[in-house]
Amino acid sequence: MSSAKMKVEMDFGEKEFPMSHEDFQRIAGLAGRYTGIVLGDHKQDMVYGRIARRVRKLNLNDFSSYLDYLEANIDEELSNFINVITTNLTSFFRENHHFEYLQKTVLTELKRKNSATKRLRIWSAGCSKGMEPYSISMTLLKSGIPSDWDVKLLATDLDPEVLETAREAVYSATEVDGLEERTIKNYFQRGSGGKDVKVKDKVRQFIHFKRLNLLETWPMTGPFDFIFCRNVVIYFDKPTQKVLFDRYADLLDVGGYLFIGHSENLHGISDRFENMGNTIYRKIR
Ligand SMILES: C[S@@+](CC[C@H](N)C(=O)[O-])C[C@H]1O[C@@H](n2cnc3c(N)ncnc32)[C@H](O)[C@@H]1O
């Protein structure tokens, strides 16, 4: 056995393509630079499985050839790289307590507070395949926001592939299993074979999907009434999170709400929010 092959087997066991530690470091460097996502050594198996898909698809022999290809063709290949690196897991009414709080507290308050402007500005940052902004939109409809209000819900993600799914608004019927029958009836139409559901136009009407990297400059000036950024920053390091939450605070009205993911918190990251419990925060300064 050649020493190069032996090294691969020692490091990673028998795998379809060789991936050296140096390859992994290069992947982690590119992921950090382009997405802010931190890939620790414990992510090597996950990274192997995901990047191997691209190596196979491009008929390459190993990871280092893929990385050379990626760097030489960054404009074409970057979105595929981002798509395999990011975790897009999401679902309708995920962490349902957020939608209950939104309906009972936040929207009740905003209906009063914004009654003169009749305006609502909302951002779903890291919206993945669209289930989060659609769930927000359904909550707006359930809350009886008057139809003459000017409501805009910006939904952004880094990954163009998930945004395509989000814009199409067609999902497997299994994705709505477990939702209340009333919700399914009011806000989805069933496809002819019964296998798919499509989000109704009245739910889609408020939403504008846009590609946006949270690490880059943002074209929006705000202010937003509330922002959802859930299950996105878990992959970022603390300094990146600090900058990001500061930028969210800048774009929120005082009293505006920020919803974050179940394993995230602002402790030691931002003092511009008060904790309302259940990973819900309110801007205080
Ligand atoms: C696990 S999903 C969360 C989806 C949804 N917010 C939820 O909680 O169900 C994380 C999303 O963040 C996006 N993302 C990761 N890094 C990003 C970045 N730097 N800028 C914008 N979006 C990013 C990913 O593409 C992915 O769709």
Side-chain angles (χ1 to χ4, degrees), residues 34-37 82 86-91 94-95 124-129 132 156-159 162 212-215 229-232 235-236:
Y34 289 109
T35 69
I37 292 171
I82 286 170
T86 52
T87 297
N88 303 120
L89 185 74
T90 187
S91 56
R94 180 183 194 184
E95 298 172 47
S124 163
C127 66
S128 189
K129 294 178 204 144
E132 180 178 279
T156 63
D157 202 282
L158 173 68
D159 183 347
V162 291
L212 183 77
N213 186 340
L214 292 169
L215 304 189
C229 180
R230 307 183 312 159
N231 308 302
V232 178
Y235 311 108
F236 297 172

Side-chain angles (χ1 to χ4, degrees), residues 102-151:
L102 183 63
Q103 179 165 357
K104 284 198 194 111
T105 307
V106 180
L107 291 171
T108 306
E109 198 177 295
L110 286 170
K111 274 195 256 180
R112 219 176 322 113
K113 190 173 148 205
N114 296 6
S115 60
T117 61
K118 297 185 172 183
R119 229 173 97 110
L120 277 184
R121 291 293 179 264
I122 303 154
W123 182 12
S124 163
C127 66
S128 189
K129 294 178 204 144
M131 279 90 149
E132 180 178 279
Y134 288 132
S135 305
I136 297 172
S137 186
M138 290 177 215
T139 309
L140 296 176
L141 293 169
K142 282 184 192 171
S143 311
I145 295 293
S147 56
D148 64 336
W149 277 40
D150 166 19
V151 180

